[in-house]
Amino acid sequence: MHALSHPDFPVIDAHVHLYPDALAPKVTPSLAARFGNAPSFDGTVDGCRAKDEAVGIAAALNLPVATKPDSVSHTNDFWAGVNAAERTRTPRIHSLAAFHPLVADKGAEIERIAAAGFAGIKLHPEYQLFRFNDPAMDDAWAALAEFGLVAYLHAGGERVFTPPFHSTPREIARLQARFPKLTIVAAHLGGFGMWDEAEATLVGSDVVLDLSHTFFWMDDAQILRMIRNHGAEKILFGSDAPWQDPGEVLEAFLRLPLSDSERQRICSANARELLGIF
Ligand SMILES: [Zn+2]
């Protein structure tokens, strides 16, 4: 294996999980114990920046998960403040907004999220116990599409929960068919641990797929085939840091026999165009 040269475009890690400084010293170790997996840094914004600087990543997108509806607005106030403070920093951290399926007035909350300058929301049905096609979510999808916000979805299985899972590739394909104007990003190549179903139902669709928690968990040949068949213009580089090491994930990505222009799309241009913030 020859040495990998670092790409000459700014790499954006589109999938990280960060916690406020006041919570990270408790939350990161407790999640580490639950996942059975040591974090690659302490889970703070500054910890992420130091790690990204060390491994040559230029920016990271944080995906906050609200586990209760009444934590959505203060979580978003916190991350809006971080986003404002981060504008001039490098590596830069940007956060999407949190959301929860039990928020009462979904349209109003999404309007507030849009007004605060967020590029989209993160949803995680395994923690939030809902299905993407529950009719109760339809107002939220319609508002996201109306405001041009991204729906960034956890997809597939999750190590700390047991099947049946809520967020299957089929559910995501159905959601995209019901809301064709909605921009959907499905994490983990469309379904962690459900890659054959994702390949059959999402590859070739308009759903954008990220690469977090795919390397070291599935066959590189299937990753490469899914990228090629889906189209590099609909794939985002992401690591799931601190729950994977972003440097190791980037190295694994760079080992795939992709062209420089495919790498540049996946690591940089797609995230910039989709989110409009980096
Ligand atoms: Zn994640």
Side-chain angles (χ1 to χ4, degrees):
M1 174 89 30
H2 46 87
L4 297 160
S5 62
H6 193 78
D8 54 8
F9 42 79
V11 174
I12 298 168
D13 182 346
H15 190 139
V16 306
H17 295 286
L18 305 177
Y19 314 101
D21 286 356
L23 300 180
K26 265 178 72 177
V27 171
T28 309
S30 91
L31 285 172
R34 196 165 169 205
F35 296 151
N37 163 181
S40 57
F41 58 88
D42 63 4
T44 64
V45 169
D46 287 336
C48 185
R49 188 191 333 285
K51 181 75 185 177
D52 283 352
E53 174 109 71
V55 302
I57 289 175
L61 184 70
N62 177 48
L63 306 176
V65 177
T67 51
K68 299 180 301 219
D70 53 3
S71 67
V72 167
S73 61
H74 68 82
T75 299
N76 291 341
D77 290 344
F78 174 82
W79 289 111
V82 170
N83 287 349
E86 286 287 315
R87 260 182 213 123
T88 54
R89 308 192 77 170
T90 41
R92 178 178 166 189
I93 314 299
H94 186 90
S95 186
L96 292 189
F99 195 72
H100 193 283
L102 295 179
V103 163
D105 189 342
K106 295 181 178 59
E109 189 65 42
I110 283 163
E111 188 169 359
R112 200 175 99 87
I113 287 167
F118 288 104
I121 65 165
K122 163 72 182 218
L123 287 162
H124 197 314
E126 307 312 321
Y127 287 94
Q128 296 174 327
L129 302 173
F130 75 106
R131 289 184 184 274
F132 296 128
N133 294 291
D134 284 348
M137 277 300 289
D138 286 359
D139 285 354
W141 307 126
L144 290 168
E146 182 190 336
F147 289 105
L149 299 182
V150 170
Y152 210 119
L153 310 179
H154 170 81
E158 165 70 66
R159 284 175 289 162
V160 295
F161 296 99
T162 47
F165 294 110
H166 303 76
S167 47
T168 64
R170 264 188 209 96
E171 285 271 344
I172 295 168
R174 207 175 137 226
L175 177 65
Q176 179 75 94
R178 293 174 58 233
F179 291 90
K181 294 203 169 101
L182 176 65
T183 302
I184 298 173
V185 182
H188 320 310
L189 272 179
F192 181 79
M194 301 182 185
W195 291 298
D196 292 342
E197 182 182 325
E199 192 167 9
T201 58
L202 291 173
V203 163
S205 75
D206 290 336
V207 174
V208 176
L209 305 177
D210 93 16
L211 293 171
S212 64
H213 260 102
T214 57
F215 294 101
F216 317 114
W217 293 90
M218 64 186 285
D219 194 9
D220 278 4
Q222 188 173 19
I223 296 177
L224 184 65
R225 188 173 68 232
M226 288 177 75
I227 291 173
R228 284 266 160 80
N229 289 339
H230 193 51
E233 73 286 357
K234 291 179 290 182
I235 304 282
L236 295 178
F237 174 76
S239 71
D240 230 340
W243 307 114
Q244 285 204 298
D245 184 296
E248 287 172 11
V249 176
L250 181 58
E251 254 181 55
F253 171 75
L254 293 173
R255 265 188 228 113
L256 294 180
L258 293 165
S259 70
D260 280 349
S261 74
E262 286 170 320
R263 286 181 179 156
Q264 199 262 358
R265 280 257 129 233
I266 292 167
C267 288
S268 201
N270 293 342
R272 287 206 314 266
E273 288 167 15
L274 189 75
L275 303 164
I277 39 181
F278 291 117

